[in-house]
Amino acid sequence: MNQGMLFDNLKNPKFYGPHVTSVQLLQTHISYVALTGIFAYKVKKPVNFGFLDFSTLDKRKYYCEEELRLNKRLCPEMYLDVLPITQKDGTLELDGSGPIVEYALKMKEFPQEYIMTNMLKQQKITEGTIDQICSILIDFYTAQEPSEEITKYGELPAVRQNIDENFEQTKPMINITVPKDTYWFIKNAATRFFERKKDVFGRRMKEGKIFDCHGDLHSGNIVVTDEHIHIFDCIEFNDRFRFCDVASDIGFLAMDLDYLNFPYLSSYLIHRYVEKSADVGISSVLNFYKSYRAFVRGKVHGYQLNDP
């Protein structure tokens, strides 16, 4: 699939049908998202980062279907279908009749101003919003049946694999996105945590705190309207990023609120989550997971620099 041809078509309103008059095309390091006014269409880029492999059409189809399935757990009304992109006589068509060359995930579009990140900037996120998010997440976790397959991802070697992978993959970014001294300070701090606090991982497993989580829980993946809160765009491409301690989810959102300069809401989120869930042990690993999630965010910025 010619990416230039795909990119040009995704920007063209006619590609989506006669009812579409304008398109806003957004990009991440792994996907395009076309906003057409009523529906949004997400197309995965043919990239392979090791922990994520969208390099073949079959894999992109599979992960589109997984994204649809997994996100229906928290926002079923937003995720609608997986559609083929076909090619006929040199022209690309959405859900056309020619050979399939790509796949698109079809979603209900929502106004961008309702994304929590933007709502925070407008001072529209309240303690009540945080309370609702906590309740949604606790219901989401506690509705799951315990699973040995998922629980094992809380073991120290499994957690350490994610951490070590981050440091290995960010080596080329030293002194570009992260100063050398900072890189080694963070790496050494993580190593010391594993050495001194290794028992905490087994304890969290015994307490039943490892779930099939969201995996990418930050304010950019939460929509807040007057009627509903939608938590979308969970991790679909790698189980070990989603099968994790709930502290990894809560820590990500808390870190994000700190980063966006809302430390009170970050603290309130942690306080209310502990109060509602009775998970007092989360404090033993929360800062560790906040550090992990902050480093992941930095890693993603490095990948974006290498995306033409």
Side-chain angles (χ1 to χ4, degrees):
M1 178 72 247
N2 182 298
Q3 287 298 295
M5 182 181 183
L6 175 64
F7 184 78
D8 289 341
N9 276 268
L10 291 175
K11 289 192 299 181
N12 186 353
K14 294 179 181 178
F15 180 70
Y16 306 95
H19 59 285
V20 176
T21 57
S22 64
V23 179
Q24 181 184 2
L25 188 62
L26 310 178
Q27 286 193 66
T28 70
H29 62 304
I30 61 175
S31 62
Y32 304 105
V33 180
L35 306 178
T36 68
I38 301 173
F39 301 112
Y41 299 88
K42 184 175 183 179
V43 177
K44 299 184 185 305
K45 295 180 178 180
V47 293
N48 184 350
F49 294 126
F51 63 85
L52 171 156
D53 186 358
F54 294 161
S55 59
T56 70
L57 182 61
D58 284 345
K59 288 176 179 177
R60 294 194 293 278
K61 178 188 179 186
Y62 172 76
Y63 285 116
C64 279
E65 291 169 345
E66 279 293 275
E67 187 168 359
L68 179 69
R69 177 182 70 84
L70 291 165
N71 280 291
K72 277 185 172 291
R73 300 177 302 170
L74 278 168
C75 47
E77 65 289 330
M78 185 182 294
Y79 285 78
L80 303 175
D81 203 356
V82 175
L83 299 177
I85 296 175
T86 57
Q87 187 168 3
K88 190 175 183 180
D89 299 328
T91 302
L92 296 186
E93 293 181 320
L94 183 62
D95 201 16
S97 58
I100 297 172
V101 295
E102 198 51 86
Y103 289 91
L105 178 64
K106 182 180 180 181
M107 299 170 285
K108 183 179 178 182
E109 188 178 325
F110 49 82
Q112 294 294 292
E113 62 263 28
Y114 290 148
I115 293 178
M116 186 176 172
T117 315
N118 297 327
M119 296 284 279
L120 283 162
K121 294 173 184 176
Q122 301 170 52
Q123 305 292 324
K124 291 182 178 179
I125 299 300
T126 65
E127 293 174 352
T129 312
I130 301 297
D131 281 333
Q132 285 181 268
I133 291 171
C134 287
S135 295
I136 290 167
L137 291 171
I138 291 167
D139 288 346
F140 174 55
Y141 301 140
T142 56
Q144 298 180 29
E145 291 289 330
S147 161
E148 285 187 22
E149 180 197 355
I150 292 172
T151 300
K152 71 181 181 183
Y153 282 87
E155 295 174 349
L156 190 149
V159 177
R160 184 152 196 165
Q161 180 183 357
N162 292 340
I163 303 295
D164 290 346
E165 182 180 73
N166 280 338
F167 291 121
E168 188 62 32
Q169 291 175 334
T170 46
K171 277 183 180 177
M173 290 292 124
I174 291 175
N175 288 332
I176 298 174
T177 60
V178 57
K180 184 177 180 179
D181 290 349
T182 304
Y183 173 92
W184 285 107
F185 176 86
I186 299 169
K187 192 175 190 302
N188 291 333
T191 300
R192 286 196 303 272
F193 189 90
F194 285 129
E195 291 169 351
R196 297 174 184 175
K197 303 285 187 178
K198 59 184 177 183
D199 294 343
V200 76
F201 296 100
R203 187 160 68 245
R204 293 293 289 171
M205 290 169 65
K206 289 177 183 176
E207 291 171 354
K209 303 304 179 186
I210 315 302
F211 290 100
D212 186 344
C213 293
H214 182 278
D216 200 16
L217 188 68
H218 58 80
S219 62
N221 287 339
I222 302 174
V223 172
V224 181
T225 68
D226 292 337
E227 295 83 22
H228 300 288
I229 292 176
H230 305 281
I231 302 176
F232 67 102
D233 205 19
C234 76
I235 294 290
E236 87 287 353
F237 53 79
N238 195 323
D239 287 346
R240 66 182 165 89
F241 292 170
R242 203 178 66 252
F243 296 168
C244 60
D245 194 317
V246 294
S248 191
D249 262 4
I250 303 303
F252 201 161
L253 184 54
M255 177 277 296
D256 188 44
L257 290 167
D258 284 336
Y259 173 76
L260 294 170
N261 203 26
F262 291 89
Y264 171 73
L265 289 179
S266 176
S267 297
Y268 186 78
L269 167 73
I270 296 163
H271 170 73
R272 289 298 284 151
Y273 183 82
V274 170
E275 201 166 64
K276 285 171 174 276
S277 67
D279 184 6
V280 293
I282 198 172
S283 60
S284 62
V285 289
L286 195 64
N287 282 342
F288 168 78
Y289 280 113
K290 286 173 76 173
S291 168
Y292 161 57
R293 292 303 193 173
F295 200 90
V296 168
R297 173 166 285 175
K299 181 174 77 169
V300 168
H301 288 320
Y303 283 137
Q304 288 171 331
L305 288 181
N306 289 325
D307 184 341

